[in-house]
Amino acid sequence: MLNSTAPAPDTEFAAHAPTVAATNPTRETLLRAYRLMRTADEMARLYEDNKAVTAKYVHATARGHEAIQLAAAFHLLPTDYAAPYYRDDAMMLGMGITPYELMLQLMAKRDDPFSGGRTYYCHPSLRRAGFPTIPHQSSATGMQAIPATGMAHGIKYLEGQKLQKSTTDSAPVVLCSIGDGAMTEGEVSEALQMAVLHQLPIIYLVQDNDWGISATGREMRAMDAYEFAAGFKGLHRLRVDGADFSASYSVMSEAFAYVRHTRGPVLVHAKCPLLGHHTSGVRREWYRGDNLAQHTPQDPLPRLHQQLLLRSFTKRELEQAATEATALVRADYGRALLAPSPDPATFADHEFAPQAITEEAGERTPAGADKALMVDAALHAVDDILREFPEALFYGQDVGGELGGVFREAALLAKKYGDTRVFNTPIQEAYIVGSTAGMSAVGAKAIVEIQFADYIWPALNQLVEELSKSCYLSNGQFPVQALIRVPIGAYGGGGPYHSGSIESTLLTIRGIKVVYPSNAADMKGLLRAAFLDPNPVVVLEHKGLYWSKVFGTEDAKTIEPAAGYVLPLGKAGIAQVADAERLRRGNTCVVVTYGMGVHWAKTASRQFPGQVEVLDLRTLNPLDFEAVEAAVIRHSKVLVLTEEPLMNSFAESLAGRIQRTCFQQLDAPVFTLGAANLPAIALNVDLERQMLPSAAKVAAALQELLEY
């Protein structure tokens, strides 16, 4: 029933063998496991018997998986981190969570300690003294592997920087619980790759019950998780009968000891029966057939019962444990039924954690300072952060080593701070973004980069499911501090996949902030504010503005602010004012834009001296709509300008909002201008020029608007 392999790191593990040998459960542990297994069984039974109440919201239970879950939970320390999945209520009981607390979440009650009634049963988020830390994770199958691995990555980093101290016996371990069906997800492979590449302190506990909703294992995979893991060199593997508590306890003892001592990863493959439904919304009788009868003999509860009788436990002891479990569950259920529901007035709380920077601070134009390119201002901003904040690290494709970024936006940082703080990742956009959630949970502060905006799409799963919802669904317990840098935009012949604009897609993701600077000074101040913000922030950095080599972008080069300069997110700036006399006579307009649009507008406005104000949004979410309204009211004529294809864009949405809220102040329809509605930017520069806005196209729009 027990089988393990010994890859290369086991040499180190063997040196510690006298200290880390697997242990068997004590009599006290066995009785505790039996009581909690009875508790989990009684909860599942009660939920099934009271479907009118409990099936109001979808849930799953641990039936069949209790042995391995309790075995894992019993080895977790308060210094550890855990990423349970939706079937792990027995694991939660093993950590010390009460049935009452789980039932509060089951019924979406106000005092649900994990989410305040916002998310499903057994989706915990917990910061509580004496318990392992449990950051938020989504229901998306397998997605927890990357944030969990990010936790381990952050722990390894903090330990290496001497920012986190612990003894060998209490060295933090991350437990990532996952189903075997989820192991086929590509993002799980990304997580495993990084775990072995960096030898991270994490246990992947794979609970294999041969089912993924209605699909069987033979339909979904060519190998099980244990066989699959053999392809990851340096991943210690263990296999166990997950329905046998004593065997599971021994194997989890070995797994935790291995990780605490070697700081390398382990995968435990636990075979379990599925005795309940996939979830309450997918009834087992619809598809299981005779399979349930095949799984029932492996039920861990009667197996443990018989084993305890053989180990001299009396029937009276076991009956008393069962009676106590039943009484507790029934009493807690009654209390949970009477518990208050959330106040509907709180529905919008915790979209974001409170913003750290609310006012501009520091020297924007220090005396004697030279003008800086936008790319250098960004580099210097990150340099300042790494120097001041030892918990900060920077990673992505090609940002480390000799290159320092394909745009040299990280030049020499790896040499200056070392390759544990500034390093290259594999081509794994999902890991780059999703790992920041885990980093944030353990106290590391990640700055990451997606090499081109066109390649962010593999990261959207993590950005949407894990980062954006974490603060809201954890009831404010786990905002994700993440600074995600993304070079964006066309810069002359970059072609498809290297020139696209993506802001409208990002702006449909609630719970993230989106920043888009247009000049060096704003870049430096906004990058620092984004780093200090406790929420996920995507900074879009226009490649055509980096070096001010594109015609008309000279103003992107500005006096460089001093170190420490910070510019709050959500505050627009006036990039160009209109002449006061022209404004008094009502012969002006405003261009509302950002990024490259600022420079197109300023260049075009030279044909209309004093008549054009340019409002630079700087941050797209949160949007400074007060500044937009004020500018529209000042001028009564407005052009919303974007580099994106116009149809269904953020710019069109903003124009519609202006039209609705400022209708009475408008002297003309809200004008819009953007790129042609095409799927990609063409490589040929003449085709690119035809597709995109330009100063000439903006000038034509301004001419029409001003004459309206």
Side-chain angles (χ1 to χ4, degrees), residues 10 56 71 80 111 136 155 162 178 246 272-273 298 325 390 393 416 460 469 538 547 563 574 593 601 647 694 702 705:
D10 284 6
K56 182 178 180 180
D80 292 333
D111 298 327
H136 168 266
I155 290 167
K162 311 299 183 186
I178 195 167
S246 293
C272 304
Q298 297 303 313
L393 64 165
K416 187 171 185 178
L460 251 61
K469 296 176 173 61
V538 178
W547 297 290
I574 298 176
T593 188
M647 186 171 64
S694 63
L702 291 175
L705 179 60

Side-chain angles (χ1 to χ4, degrees), residues 248-422:
S248 295
Y249 187 90
S250 179
V251 165
M252 294 311 300
S253 170
E254 180 179 347
F256 273 88
Y258 178 89
V259 179
R260 293 201 201 282
H261 285 75
T262 71
R263 312 308 283 145
V266 173
L267 182 139
V268 177
H269 177 250
K271 196 74 176 196
C272 304
L274 179 62
L275 302 179
H277 310 290
H278 169 74
T279 65
S280 58
V282 184
R283 311 299 296 175
R284 64 191 181 194
E285 56 268 21
W286 294 346
Y287 63 93
R288 292 289 299 276
D290 295 335
N291 181 260
L292 184 60
Q294 297 168 19
H295 280 225
T296 299
Q298 297 303 313
D299 188 337
L301 180 54
R303 289 178 67 182
L304 181 58
H305 185 93
Q306 290 303 315
Q307 289 170 2
L308 295 189
L309 290 175
L310 292 173
R311 294 183 63 160
S312 75
F313 284 84
T314 66
K315 288 184 178 181
R316 182 180 179 83
E317 285 179 288
L318 301 187
E319 287 172 359
Q320 182 179 350
T323 299
E324 291 171 355
T326 299
L328 175 64
V329 169
R330 297 288 169 174
D332 281 3
Y333 180 69
R335 291 173 59 207
L337 284 173
L338 298 175
S341 293
D343 180 354
T346 65
F347 81 101
D349 292 355
H350 306 300
E351 177 190 7
F352 292 115
Q355 189 161 311
I357 303 300
T358 57
E359 299 293 337
E360 184 176 8
E363 293 184 84
R364 184 177 175 94
T365 54
D370 294 328
K371 282 192 172 184
L373 294 170
M374 195 161 151
V375 70
D376 290 337
L379 170 65
H380 299 158
V382 175
D383 190 0
D384 291 343
I385 289 167
L386 292 173
R387 184 178 63 255
E388 291 179 55
F389 300 93
E391 67 272 28
L393 64 165
F394 180 30
Y395 55 94
Q397 295 167 31
D398 299 304
V399 302
E402 295 292 329
L403 184 60
V406 295
F407 301 103
R408 302 296 287 157
E409 71 281 9
L412 302 179
L413 290 179
K415 285 192 172 183
K416 187 171 185 178
Y417 294 102
D419 58 12
T420 59
R421 294 195 71 191
V422 181

Side-chain angles (χ1 to χ4, degrees), residues 134 142 195 256 430 464 466 540:
I134 309 175
F256 273 88
V464 173
E466 307 303 329
L540 302 175

